[in-house]
Amino acid sequence: MIAWLAIPLFVGFAVYLLPQLDRASAFTVMLVSICVGLFQVSLPSPLTMQLVDSFGVTLLVNQMSGYFVLLNALVMMAVVLYCWPTEKGAFFYTQILILHGSVNAIFVCADFMSLYVGLEVIGVSAFLLMVYPRTDRALWIGLRYLLISNTAMLFYLLGAVLVYQANQSFAFTGLATAPKEAIALIFVGLLTKGGIFVSGLWLPLTHSQSDTPVSALLSGAVIKTGAFPLVRCALLVEEISPIVQFFGVATAVLGTSCAILEKDTKRLLAWSTISQMGFVLVAPVVAGLYALSHGLAKAMLFLIAGNLPSRQFEVLQQSPLKRELWAGLAIASLSISGFPLLAGYGAKALTLEALSGWPLWILSITAVGSAIAFAKFIFLPFVTSSEASESLVASDLSIAAKSSKGRTDSWFWAAIVLLTVGLVAVSGLTLEAYNVQKIVQSLGTIAAGWLAYLLIFKRVKTALPKAPERFEHLVGAMSLVLVIFLWGISRKGSI
């Protein structure tokens, strides 16, 4: 296990010695991680490792961590395939490998100090990938992300120190006896890193403005490193579970509401990521499966969206896409909407099955909202390749030129096929979700969403205000969440 965690870092630095093998090295490391992830998913019982002493590293490997590791490996392998024919150099692949290893470490650790180190390394690697294009815009987006990330981690570190002071250990289980202020500080840090509720308002601009493969990495895998510790803490410490579930519901509602009104493709995907993080949090026992199904679909959507003729839905509705691109968009959108035979169906059905009371009702309505948002992709017009060629012959350049924009080479399709196979294969892990009642319920939810889109929301012209996403407001949102936590402590003596 230790060797597996160290391999990506070792290979990442070794890539500089053999730059001609950078792509093959990265691909091989991802392949190893897929095998390790499958091994973890098949474990009959959790495997715990305590390294050094109580001050050291605690690792906890179980089926849930296996799903997250598989997600990390498949998304990053797809990105490596996507970038294979491009001119990205050894530095890019080094950062990919370091990021991959750090994200893996987060998914198996169970102590706050290891988590802190891993999240800091992830923050730096993600920043370097964001600024890789070396444009002024990319530099600003990267610095904005780094500043928000570091501020959040300061809150987190203070909370981690309080946990150690109370337990003489950084183990997650120490939250049960830690001061309530420690829980508040740790939660503020992790909510921000995970793009959850108002603490995650940095996410739409960051994920939508990053380079296409980086957007896929961030929304597909990296964002889960903030949600995973919350889910693991909720499973280990029962008192934490209601707090995590509350933020999950609030995040799902916020993200879905904004996604429905969004007119920009990549920003819609980013708002949807916030929404889906809410679904991951509400039912910790199904979190791994939901994160895996969402990550595969979202990475696929970002890779395709980066190759569309325009980011604006208004333009895309007038410019038919190539049928192959539309098919990719439709498959991933149907998966997130919960269509049977795709991974999203089983994950969503099992998540709703694990809920009861008001969270179940709110999440059921939010699922209709997801179908409304992704109907924007599914109902885009498309043409066959022969029709695009005929348009070119007929000099209808408005269709042919726009349809042919973007990459559609074999490496691009290899990445899309890998993610599509993943979506279908993962659905095989959720056979218990297949019964007539759940299938009818899921199809009814999608049909209601599509009907609402066609009759109402397709005509809505309301634009989302972007003022809450300004840098100064992001820090304010973090402080607001912390104040709410501390106010709850002073009022009730508990959170």
Side-chain angles (χ1 to χ4, degrees), residues 220-250:
V222 176
I223 197 67
K224 273 75 176 179
T225 57
F228 178 84
L230 293 171
V231 170
R232 176 154 275 181
C233 286
L235 291 172
L236 293 174
V237 184
E238 191 177 346
E239 295 84 352
I240 301 297
S241 187
I243 308 172
V244 173
Q245 189 178 67
F246 169 79
F247 276 104
V249 173

Side-chain angles (χ1 to χ4, degrees), residues 112-172:
F112 290 112
M113 187 48 68
S114 302
L115 181 65
Y116 173 76
V117 174
L119 288 175
E120 287 289 30
V121 175
I122 288 169
V124 174
S125 295
F127 163 74
L128 292 172
L129 287 171
M130 286 179 201
V131 302
Y132 186 79
R134 296 181 177 83
T135 63
D136 291 343
R137 183 66 175 170
L139 189 59
W140 162 240
I141 295 298
L143 285 173
R144 179 177 176 271
Y145 168 80
L146 195 62
L147 288 170
I148 293 297
S149 175
N150 284 349
T151 305
M153 293 315 295
L154 283 176
F155 286 119
Y156 171 89
L157 188 57
L158 288 173
V161 170
L162 290 176
V163 171
Y164 184 79
Q165 188 179 39
N167 300 280
Q168 301 303 303
S169 168
F170 286 111
F172 284 173

Side-chain angles (χ1 to χ4, degrees), residues 411-473:
W411 291 105
F412 169 80
W413 287 115
I416 300 303
V417 168
L418 172 67
L419 294 170
T420 303
V421 170
L423 286 175
V424 176
V426 171
S427 69
L429 301 173
T430 61
L431 295 179
E432 68 269 31
Y434 282 86
N435 60 50
V436 175
Q437 182 185 353
K438 286 188 173 63
I439 291 175
V440 170
Q441 184 180 350
S442 181
L443 292 177
T445 298
I446 295 172
W450 288 1
L451 202 60
Y453 168 71
L454 293 173
L455 296 179
I456 303 172
F457 292 99
K458 189 175 182 180
R459 297 172 177 78
V460 173
K461 301 296 182 184
T462 305
L464 281 174
K466 296 184 180 179
E469 299 176 48
R470 291 176 185 166
F471 179 74
E472 60 271 26
H473 295 167

Side-chain angles (χ1 to χ4, degrees), residues 165-383:
Q165 188 179 39
N167 300 280
Q168 301 303 303
S169 168
F170 286 111
F172 284 173
T173 50
L175 270 187
T177 54
K180 302 306 177 187
E181 291 82 0
I183 300 176
L185 290 164
I186 288 173
F187 264 61
V188 169
L190 295 179
L191 291 174
T192 304
K193 292 290 287 189
I196 295 161
F197 198 45
V198 294
S199 303
L201 291 177
W202 59 269
L203 191 151
L205 180 64
T206 304
H207 286 201
S208 64
Q209 292 295 324
S210 296
D211 201 15
T212 294
V214 178
S215 295
L217 280 179
L218 296 177
S219 259
V222 176
I223 197 67
K224 273 75 176 179
T225 57
F228 178 84
L230 293 171
V231 170
R232 176 154 275 181
C233 286
L235 291 172
L236 293 174
V237 184
E238 191 177 346
E239 295 84 352
I240 301 297
S241 187
I243 308 172
V244 173
Q245 189 178 67
F246 169 79
F247 276 104
V249 173
T251 305
V253 172
L254 172 68
T256 303
S257 303
C258 294
I260 289 173
L261 297 175
E262 187 57 63
K263 312 299 180 190
D264 179 295
T265 53
K266 292 187 74 173
R267 282 181 58 83
L268 183 152
L269 295 177
W271 281 116
S272 164
T273 295
I274 292 178
S275 166
Q276 298 301 302
M277 286 300 95
F279 277 88
V280 170
L281 292 181
V282 291
V285 292
V286 200
L289 203 54
Y290 201 100
L292 175 58
S293 64
H294 166 256
L296 296 176
K298 191 53 62 68
M300 186 167 160
L301 283 164
F302 264 113
L303 291 181
I304 297 177
N307 290 277
L308 296 179
S310 170
R311 286 179 53 168
Q312 299 302 316
F313 282 105
E314 190 174 2
V315 175
L316 293 175
Q317 287 166 354
Q318 306 301 321
S319 309
L321 307 176
K322 284 184 178 178
R323 183 176 57 183
E324 297 85 349
L325 286 177
W326 175 85
L329 286 175
I331 290 171
S333 298
L334 286 171
S335 179
I336 292 183
S337 300
F339 193 81
L341 303 181
L342 295 170
Y345 164 78
K348 191 159 286 184
L350 294 176
T351 297
L352 294 177
E353 186 182 65
L355 300 177
S356 62
W358 64 270
L360 173 62
W361 285 103
I362 295 178
L363 265 293
S364 297
I365 296 171
T366 307
V368 177
S370 294
I372 295 173
F374 283 95
K376 296 178 184 180
F377 286 108
I378 293 170
F379 286 98
L380 285 176
F382 63 91
V383 294

Side-chain angles (χ1 to χ4, degrees), residues 16-39:
Y16 273 110
L17 301 176
L18 298 167
Q20 64 274 24
L21 297 178
D22 50 8
R23 295 157 176 79
S25 301
F27 185 87
T28 304
V29 169
M30 307 310 164
L31 204 57
V32 171
S33 288
I34 288 176
C35 296
V36 174
L38 291 172
F39 166 73

